[in-house]
């Protein structure tokens, strides 16, 4: 039996995770659920999955959740705040943690799970982008198992030899081909991009996701963060990670080998597939996702990304090659800019401009410890805020 903590259970990934778990009550029990503000949804999830603990973002939310659970006769205990998130991510009562909080807010609990040697299912790419080597060191020191949920990385994981660990022996891997849909603005005239609305930006052509990652997909910062994520997960240098635009999102990513073989993983754009794959690994379980109909899809298209249309992708490659604290600075500036765009305080093209300004202004250095990284995250947010007007 796997006992699971779902960090961010009310989000898009969290809900898909619970959908898969509910299909296999013989294998999985929920140990803890967490949400930031959506207390009513969390109460309904607690009633259905009866976790030991539920964690929310504030004492007011905890009071509200406590009252709702009492009304429903649910015995789940209620906690709030970051320390409680870290506690449920590292508790003895759970062996598997779905890390599905969005953004830097997920770093502390995801790291706590890694340090506690859990099976960590990583959706929260920002946590790994920020902390890179420190996160991977924590995984190796504790013997935690790290399995990627991001559909591209899960696809790559499936296309690599089993037990793959990059070392001087690269197992014949020549390149990682990270596919990208190109988002909603792939063919829109570049000079009209500054007038796009948040509604247009979050309307992803293939995937239904949270608002932040949807905007990241429209700027292609999402792919940039994924390049950095792939670097850490698979130990590949930036020069071996290539982004390929594939608008249909049928191929979720590929691995090219030195003998000329390219292995791809295909499927419908539904996150329950990578979630089920990671939950049951190395077994396979039903996820509720139907098989693809290739004849109906007909054609698959590919093209190279254009850095002028998608400057955020270039900024992310630059941050990866700068190394150290640069990816944490990039991530923090992006989070502030995306939030400001969603609040209609800045235009779409201001997102990449603000990130570039913050990257120029803040000197990046070595990432020696988490406290130092969090300080860089704070400074980058402060700098990004100063450019909002
Ligand atoms: P979402 O916005 O739908 O959900 C976010 C969850 O995090 C919610 O449960 C929310 O309560 C919680 N949360 C938000 N702010 C918080 C805070 N400050 N403290 C604690 N909890 C907080 O996001 P999502 O689309 O489910 O994405 C979650 C993560 O998974 C992101 O890192 C995203 O990049 C990654 N991801 C998502 C998808 C997808 O298809 N949605 C695909 C690949 C990767
Ligand atoms: Mg992805």
């Amino acid at each position: 039996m796997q006992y699971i903590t779902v960090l961010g259970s009310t989000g898009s990934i969290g809900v898909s995770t619970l959908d898969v778990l509910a299909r296999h009550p013989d294998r999985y029990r929920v140990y803890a659920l967490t949400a930031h503000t959506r207390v009513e949804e969390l109460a309904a999830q607690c009633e259905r999955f009866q976790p030991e603990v539920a964690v929310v973002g504030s004492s007011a939310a905890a009071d509200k959740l406590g009252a709702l659970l009492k009304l429903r006769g649910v015995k789940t205990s209620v906690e709030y705040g970051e320390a409680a998130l870290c506690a449920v991510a590292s508790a003895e009562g759970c062996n598997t943690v779905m890390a599905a909080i969005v953004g830097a807010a997920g770093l502390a609990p995801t790291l706590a799970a890694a340090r506690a040697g859990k099976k960590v299912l990583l959706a929260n790419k920002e946590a790994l982008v920020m902390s890179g080597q420190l996160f991977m060191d924590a995984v190796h020191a504790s013997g935690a198992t790290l399995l990627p949920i991001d559909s591209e990385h899960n696809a790559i994981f499936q296309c690599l030899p089993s037990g793959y660990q990059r070392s001087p022996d690269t197992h014949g891997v020549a390149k990682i081909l990270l596919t990208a849909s190109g988002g909603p603005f792939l063919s829109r005239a570049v000079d009209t991009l500054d007038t796009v609305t948040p509604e247009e930006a979050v309307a992803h052509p293939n995937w239904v996701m949270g608002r932040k990652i949807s905007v990241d997909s429209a700027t292609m910062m999402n792919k940039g963060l994924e390049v950095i994520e792939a670097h850490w997960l698979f130990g590949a240098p930036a020069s071996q990670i290539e982004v390929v635009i594939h608008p249909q999102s049928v191929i979720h990513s590929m691995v090219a080998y030195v003998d000329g073989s390219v292995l791809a993983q295909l499927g419908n754009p539904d996150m329950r597939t990578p979630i089920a794959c990671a939950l049951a690994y190395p077994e396979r379980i039903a996820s509720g996702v139907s098989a693809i109909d290739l004849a109906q899809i007909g054609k698959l298209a590919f093209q190279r990304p254009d850095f002028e249309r998608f400057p955020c992708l270039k900024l992310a490659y630059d941050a990866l090659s700068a190394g150290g604290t640069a990816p944490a600075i990039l991530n923090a500036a992006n989070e502030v800019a995306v939030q400001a765009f969603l609040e209609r305080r800045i235009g779409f093209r201001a997102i990449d401009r603000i990130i570039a300004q913050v990257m120029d202004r803040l000197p990046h250095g070595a990432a020696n410890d988490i406290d130092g990284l969090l300080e860089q995250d704070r400074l980058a947010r402060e700098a990004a805020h100063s450019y909002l007007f």
Side-chain angles (χ1 to χ4, degrees), residues 8-14 34-38 85 99-103 105 123-126 149-151 207-211 213 222 226 271:
S9 65
T10 52
S12 167
I13 294 287
T34 87
H36 199 44
T37 52
R38 279 145 73 176
L85 287 175
I101 290 174
V102 59
N124 182 202
K125 67 192 87 185
E126 297 92 343
I149 294 299
D150 214 342
S151 58
W207 298 91
V208 181
M209 309 181 285
R211 281 158 64 80
I213 184 177
N222 183 50
E226 290 183 358
M271 290 306 292

Side-chain angles (χ1 to χ4, degrees), residues 375-386:
E375 176 61 7
Q376 289 299 309
D377 173 274
R378 192 186 64 72
L379 290 172
R381 281 168 203 271
E382 214 173 80
H385 276 291
S386 76

